[in-house]
Amino acid sequence: MFNKRTKIKDLLSGEKTGQEVTVMGWVRTFRNNQFIAINDGSTNNNIQIVIELGLIDDATSKRITTGASLKVSGKLIESLGKGQKVEIKATSLEILGDSDAEKYPLQPKKHSLEFLREKAHLRFRTNTFGAIFRIRHALAFAVHQFFNDRGFVYLHTPILTASDAEGAGEMFQVTTLPLNNAPTKADGTIDFSQDFFGKATNLTVSGQLEGELGAMAFSDIYTFGPTFRAENSNTARHLAEFWMIEPEMAFYDLEDNRNLAEEFIKYLIGYAMKHNMEDLEFLDTRLKEEENSLPQDKRSEMNLIEKLEFVLNNSFEHITYTEAIDILLASPAYKKKKFKYDVQWGIDLQSEHERYLVEKHFKKPVIVTDYPKDIKAFYMRQNDDGKTVAAMDILAPGIGEIVGGSQREERLDKLENRMKEMDIPSEEMSWYLDTRRFGTVPHAGFGLGFERMVLFVTGMTNIRDVIPFARTPKNCEF
Ligand code: 4AD
Ligand code: MG
């Protein structure tokens, strides 16, 4: 019977001394043959186990090494030592699993994040990753809470699809055809009619198009699932497999969309501040220590918790793309030729431009709307100026783009024309166009990159550190 155990978090917060308790977990440290610090992942704090002389024999004592798993029963008592309020005076101790101290990669010392990325299967057992993944869990839970409270339907959009929602051609193909001997058609191209689905298919880059179908019935839906992009971007912000939250709302224009996105981001931050303060404080301290080794001008102006509070308590800035370009052109950075990429109306904003706007100019999250139509997807609603579309990106300090969204083109003729211009075959998309044929309505939605949100809340800087097992170019371990 394993269920009769108390989680360490509850023991440490309950402080009901005097009772008999059982804990199970992994050894962090063992000192003086007497004090074991044990952790079960419910909190970063360990509980101290006190072993009285004679309770265990020497052979057992030698097996209490970092990483070994234990079951300990005993009395919860007030701690005499410093550093903890309560501890367990053991009456029995059982080793569940040994851990060879010579071979166990995690030593009771600070390891670099790079080293721990290689040991991603064990890094959950460190304080830093314990904190990160408890926060990631809380944020995922908060996503559902937020939308459920507002009457949204959680729609499971498919992972296998034949469409390329973003039209960027960054898809992973899915096939059961033999790669070295694929059937071909008379013209030499691959005959996908013989493939599993009878046509070329891929992993989805976004659940949006199917999400729109749902919104045309439920009014408000959201998707939250894995998405895949075969973009060869080996940066600290890109993953080949990432999770995205995509709400889609009927009867919403771009302004409604902006407001919902801002409310949503603030809700997630507020949720973590309410439920994960201990872990946030741990990461806050960690970040301060990291930055202590940097020169003053490279350090953050605000610490992590101050930053989260600041975002929570201030409105996001809203500017149009055209205004963003004007600000960049007038900036000292542009005049001193500090940007690597040129600035002119029509360019896709590069991350250096986004970060200038957010970190130097406005010093807070910025919503940029109304981008040139030529740099955005086919489904965005065309503005009356003929040049721009009702797009919105939200840019966050330290991250860059965290949300991408738009009001959708609900007018069938305009949508069909745009698809023709962009060479998107409308026959294959007739299911999508049906929403515009039968009871079309103004609607809008956005996608929040979940890992980028977790990056923002945890203050981490590499996206590989906020997803359990990162998939990036040339890397698909575990
Ligand atoms: O801007 P994107 O490409 O927008 C869409 O996919 C739309 N269909 C969303 C919608 O309107 N329903 O991606 C949305 C967000 C980005 O802002 C970014 O946060 C994240 O997804 N994202 C990535 N995150 C990690 N790794 C990548 N390779 C990402 N690509 C996009
Ligand atoms: Mg985008």
Side-chain angles (χ1 to χ4, degrees), residues 334-394:
Y334 178 77
K335 291 187 178 142
K336 289 188 198 139
K337 300 199 189 322
K338 289 254 172 77
F339 293 130
K340 198 167 138 217
Y341 295 89
D342 195 23
V343 179
Q344 63 181 76
W345 200 95
I347 61 156
D348 210 352
L349 296 180
Q350 298 293 325
S351 92
E352 57 175 355
H353 305 138
E354 295 178 340
R355 296 185 72 157
Y356 177 85
L357 291 169
V358 171
E359 287 158 29
K360 295 262 157 34
H361 191 84
F362 289 110
K363 296 182 191 285
K364 55 159 133 161
V366 179
I367 310 184
V368 183
T369 60
D370 303 288
Y371 283 75
K373 67 175 197 250
D374 291 333
I375 57 169
K376 289 292 182 187
F378 73 95
Y379 52 69
M380 296 190 181
R381 193 175 198 278
Q382 294 156 49
N383 288 331
D384 293 339
D385 62 12
K387 293 189 302 189
T388 59
V389 286
M392 70 170 199
D393 276 8
I394 302 186

Side-chain angles (χ1 to χ4, degrees), residues 166 229 376 393 401 403-405:
E166 295 306 299
R229 301 216 178 158
K376 289 292 182 187
D393 276 8
E401 180 190 335
V403 161

Side-chain angles (χ1 to χ4, degrees), residues 166-177:
E166 295 306 299
E170 292 166 339
M171 288 130 13
F172 287 98
Q173 275 213 338
V174 173
T175 180
T176 53
L177 292 177

Side-chain angles (χ1 to χ4, degrees), residues 295-313:
Q296 196 72 42
D297 64 326
K298 289 265 180 329
R299 295 182 201 170
S300 315
E301 280 171 38
M302 285 181 223
N303 68 36
L304 176 62
I305 291 168
E306 282 168 355
K307 177 190 84 176
L308 296 176
E309 267 163 2
F310 178 83
V311 171
L312 211 51
N313 296 325

Side-chain angles (χ1 to χ4, degrees), residues 165-166 205-209 227 229 231 233 237-248 376 379-380 393-394 401-406 408 445-453 463:
E166 295 306 299
V205 296
S206 156
Q208 178 198 321
L209 301 189
T227 45
R229 301 216 178 158
E231 59 188 316
S233 309
R237 307 272 177 274
H238 288 89
L239 291 165
E241 175 182 293
F242 64 98
W243 288 65
M244 186 164 32
I245 299 117
E246 296 183 273
E248 191 69 35
K376 289 292 182 187
Y379 52 69
M380 296 190 181
D393 276 8
I394 302 186
E401 180 190 335
I402 191 163
V403 161
S406 69
R408 318 306 188 191
F446 62 85
L448 171 72
F450 188 54
E451 285 74 21
R452 292 194 186 173
M453 188 66 210
I463 200 161

